[in-house]
Amino acid sequence: MGTQRSSKFRSHHDSLFRAAFARPEALRSEAEVLLPPPFVRSLDFSRVDLLQTRFIDESLAHSESDATFRIAHHRREAFVYVLLEHQRKSDALMPWRLLRYMTSVWMSVLGREPERRTLPMLVPMVLSNVPGGWKGPRAFSEVVELVDDGLLSSVIPDFEFVLDDLAEASTESLRDRPGPEFTRLALWLLASSSNADRLIGEAPSWSDTVERLHQEAPDDHRRAVMYLLKTVSLTPAQAKKIRKLFWMGPDKRVVTVEDIAFAGLEEERAQYRQLGLEEGLKRGEGAGLKRGLEEGLEKGIEQGREELVSVLRGLLLTQWRARFGKVPRAVQSRFAKADVKQLKQWAQRLVTAKSASDVLR
């Protein structure tokens, strides 16, 4: 049970992290804080791609980097790759883990561009919200035995990742960082969520930011609220104060679409990917391992998509009854025919809709 709870908490933290860095301006602000200004100015942040980097092989099974970006370079026809990893706990082998991710990215590039004779630059960055600060190694040489005697250090590969340690960042420094307001708020939430007293004490200084998000970016506001509700243990008095500061309104126990995103959906997807891989291995015996894995993975992902649609429809019906009472047959019919995108839109509208007609407009 403890492992399951820890895994779900990891899902909440990672979901907020990914939402915060899903926009190019957020990546730019992080780069401006951590990397040399001349290098940052050489990058074209109007040409940023967020890459899908799920690694499926024997050594990296069921793992994925938190975010890998490809950024165009201003002065030459080249791309710089940035691997941004989010860590909640210090990892004694973090440099080794990053090297595996980096190697997989390079292998993917070479697979698409076999004529290459050089590798694109890849900058490893780690965002840490480890309580008490990062305690693990930062350089690859720190995890290789006997390198410190200096005799063979010149022939041992080495690199050091760039660290953004939120435990060392004050509330004022996070609030004054460049970049989107939601990203700055998310970084503060990640930094303070393990300390309820800190959260309560510093929340008033974020009230203006939260109010603007509530008015101008309700989806981002809702993500911040759901993160708080799912990760922070508060006394009734603390919860009442936080609800007021974060514009949460009354505590109506209505399940929303955000509950799915922050309550372990990644775990469900991982389960279906696992089922797909197992099916792929079976097929691979007769159709070639690679082809079998691909076919099985597609089948597992499709099963996960169907399950998601079913869960969303069930939640919509629950929300509707909680807000407006009986669900008309015509509405049930529309729910049954809608795809995931439409169902998510309706679920989000249900949270704040003043009338039933506002939901399906």
Side-chain angles (χ1 to χ4, degrees), residues 12-13 15-17 19-20 23 181-190 192-193 199 206 209-214 217-232 234 242-243 245-248 256 258-259 261-262:
H12 306 323
H13 297 305
S15 295
L16 183 67
F17 164 81
R23 53 205 83 183
E181 284 195 310
F182 173 64
T183 301
R184 286 181 273 143
L185 176 65
L187 291 176
W188 172 73
L189 287 171
L190 289 168
S192 60
S193 62
L199 186 80
W206 292 90
T209 297
V210 172
E211 182 179 0
R212 280 192 294 273
L213 290 175
H214 182 258
D219 287 344
D220 287 341
H221 174 262
R222 189 156 44 246
R223 290 186 181 98
V225 167
M226 293 308 303
Y227 176 79
L228 275 173
L229 294 176
K230 296 294 183 180
T231 62
V232 183
L234 301 171
I242 284 293
R243 298 194 77 84
L245 289 169
F246 275 77
W247 291 73
M248 293 188 193
T256 72
E258 296 298 335
D259 280 308
F262 290 91

Side-chain angles (χ1 to χ4, degrees), residues 250-275:
D251 187 4
K252 298 177 180 177
R253 301 295 181 180
V254 177
V255 181
T256 72
V257 68
E258 296 298 335
D259 280 308
I260 308 174
F262 290 91
L265 182 56
E266 285 300 319
E267 295 176 13
E268 294 183 18
R269 288 176 176 166
Q271 291 174 5
Y272 284 111
R273 286 198 292 268
Q274 173 66 24
L275 290 173

Side-chain angles (χ1 to χ4, degrees), residues 191-359:
S192 60
S193 62
S194 61
N195 187 330
D197 290 334
R198 175 186 174 181
L199 186 80
I200 294 295
E202 297 177 356
S205 65
W206 292 90
S207 59
D208 290 343
T209 297
V210 172
E211 182 179 0
R212 280 192 294 273
L213 290 175
H214 182 258
Q215 299 295 332
E216 301 170 10
D219 287 344
D220 287 341
H221 174 262
R222 189 156 44 246
R223 290 186 181 98
V225 167
M226 293 308 303
Y227 176 79
L228 275 173
L229 294 176
K230 296 294 183 180
T231 62
V232 183
S233 298
L234 301 171
T235 66
Q238 289 174 327
K240 183 177 180 180
K241 186 174 182 179
I242 284 293
R243 298 194 77 84
K244 182 178 180 181
L245 289 169
F246 275 77
W247 291 73
M248 293 188 193
D251 187 4
K252 298 177 180 177
R253 301 295 181 180
V254 177
V255 181
T256 72
V257 68
E258 296 298 335
D259 280 308
I260 308 174
F262 290 91
L265 182 56
E266 285 300 319
E267 295 176 13
E268 294 183 18
R269 288 176 176 166
Q271 291 174 5
Y272 284 111
R273 286 198 292 268
Q274 173 66 24
L275 290 173
L277 286 172
E278 292 173 356
E279 177 70 19
L281 287 171
K282 293 177 183 178
R283 296 187 180 193
E285 296 175 0
L289 181 59
K290 182 178 179 181
R291 181 181 174 187
L293 283 172
E294 290 174 350
E295 292 178 355
L297 183 60
E298 290 175 2
K299 181 178 179 181
I301 292 174
E302 182 60 31
Q303 289 176 339
R305 187 179 296 112
E306 292 173 359
E307 178 68 16
L308 174 59
V309 171
S310 177
V311 171
L312 281 171
R313 285 174 181 153
L315 282 172
L316 270 171
L317 293 170
T318 300
Q319 285 182 290
W320 189 285
R321 294 188 187 100
R323 294 293 311 280
F324 308 118
K326 185 178 179 180
V327 185
R329 287 189 177 181
V331 173
Q332 294 183 40
S333 177
R334 292 188 66 178
F335 286 174
K337 297 176 182 178
D339 58 16
V340 171
K341 182 178 179 181
Q342 182 63 74
L343 290 170
K344 289 176 69 175
Q345 288 177 349
W346 288 338
Q348 289 169 351
R349 289 176 190 167
L350 258 169
V351 177
T352 57
K354 295 180 180 179
S355 66
S357 60
D358 291 338
V359 178

Side-chain angles (χ1 to χ4, degrees), residues 24 27 43-50 69-80:
L27 175 63
L43 302 178
D44 183 358
F45 287 91
S46 67
R47 299 164 62 194
V48 176
D49 295 317
L50 176 59
F69 303 88
R70 184 177 63 180
I71 313 172
H73 196 280
H74 272 308
R75 292 194 290 269
R76 51 179 297 192
E77 283 300 315
F79 288 92
V80 173

